[in-house]
Amino acid sequence: MKNQIVQTATDLFLNQGFKSITMDDIAQTMSISKKTIYSHFANKEAIVAVVVDNIFEEVSHGIDCISDLKMNPIEEIYEIKKLVMHHMRNEKTSPWYQLRKYYPKIHDSIKKRQFNYMQECVVDNLNRGLEQELFRENIDVQFVSRIYYIGVSGIKDNDLFSSTMFDPSELYGMFLEYHLRGIVTPKGRKILNKIIHSNQQ
């Protein structure tokens, strides 16, 4: 039952936002009583914490599996993009903006974990790109990895990138192209252009 509650809450939160959904909504969707939910979770914030942790672990595991394939760094970034977009497919609101606003402690905690995890992945990706001569040899890996993190985090800010101005499904791709064109060598640019061209077909 606990897992069912978490799964239902996850779907509701991603569709309608962490703030919008109440314990009543979860209970009604599952056709159970709130008492049943409270027998597993002390309050809504406890459910939010578990949901956010599960999403982080699931996405991280998926990225680890992609990294294990040892494809070239540019292709790897686009495969990770596909994975992330798959997980974001049901987001009809701005759940992560609501998380930051209404559950700041949970947001800050997951933000630190995301940064540490992404740093490790992106630094590895950049170093392999340098070894394969796909990225410019004069880039500062630590600087670029942090700018990348800021960019990926920033495009989730609905105040800056509202869905009325930017198509959420295209925004990540726009950022990736912006990021990669600034660091690729001519050799890397050929791979990048090929991927972009194939994605447009």
Side-chain angles (χ1 to χ4, degrees), residues 9 13 18-19 21 26 41 43-55 96 99 103 106-107:
F13 289 151
F18 288 104
K19 171 64 175 177
I21 294 300
I26 298 171
F41 297 96
N43 49 45
K44 179 185 163 184
E45 186 167 351
I47 301 178
V48 171
V50 172
V51 166
V52 170
D53 184 70
N54 283 357
I55 293 172
W96 304 107
L99 184 71
Y103 300 96
I106 297 174
H107 175 268

Side-chain angles (χ1 to χ4, degrees), residues 168-180:
S169 64
E170 296 178 2
L171 199 53
Y172 197 168
M174 291 167 64
F175 170 72
L176 278 189
E177 183 176 354
Y178 173 82
H179 162 71
L180 288 167

Side-chain angles (χ1 to χ4, degrees), residues 1-139:
M1 177 58 71
K2 185 174 183 179
N3 289 338
Q4 290 176 301
I5 294 170
V6 170
Q7 186 56 58
T8 300
T10 299
D11 293 339
L12 290 171
F13 289 151
L14 292 182
N15 273 285
Q16 300 177 50
F18 288 104
K19 171 64 175 177
S20 309
I21 294 300
T22 65
M23 297 289 261
D24 283 319
D25 293 325
I26 298 171
Q28 185 175 358
T29 301
M30 296 184 69
S31 299
I32 61 175
S33 67
K34 278 200 299 183
K35 184 178 179 181
T36 301
I37 298 177
Y38 282 117
S39 69
H40 295 282
F41 297 96
N43 49 45
K44 179 185 163 184
E45 186 167 351
I47 301 178
V48 171
V50 172
V51 166
V52 170
D53 184 70
N54 283 357
I55 293 172
F56 174 81
E57 292 296 336
E58 189 174 347
V59 173
S60 299
H61 175 70
I63 293 174
D64 287 342
C65 291
I66 291 171
S67 297
D68 288 342
L69 298 175
K70 299 300 179 185
M71 57 184 67
N72 84 59
I74 297 174
E75 291 174 342
E76 179 179 272
I77 289 177
Y78 276 91
E79 282 302 309
I80 290 173
K81 170 187 174 282
K82 289 179 186 178
L83 172 74
V84 173
M85 293 307 298
H86 174 73
H87 280 275
M88 291 173 59
R89 70 192 184 282
N90 292 326
E91 293 185 12
K92 297 189 174 90
T93 58
S94 299
W96 304 107
Y97 174 79
Q98 289 192 11
L99 184 71
R100 184 183 69 185
K101 185 173 182 180
Y102 298 105
Y103 300 96
K105 288 184 179 179
I106 297 174
H107 175 268
D108 289 347
S109 175
I110 203 67
K111 184 178 178 181
K112 289 176 183 175
R113 293 178 66 193
Q114 284 178 332
F115 174 75
N116 291 331
Y117 178 77
M118 282 184 65
Q119 270 296 99
E120 184 177 338
C121 294
V122 176
V123 166
D124 176 69
N125 180 277
L126 291 169
N127 282 328
R128 284 188 291 111
L130 288 169
E131 291 171 5
Q132 297 174 32
E133 299 181 343
L134 299 178
F135 300 152
R136 291 186 290 105
E137 63 179 12
N138 63 340
I139 66 170

Side-chain angles (χ1 to χ4, degrees), residues 162-173:
S162 68
S163 57
T164 57
M165 185 177 294
F166 298 95
D167 184 338
S169 64
E170 296 178 2
L171 199 53
Y172 197 168

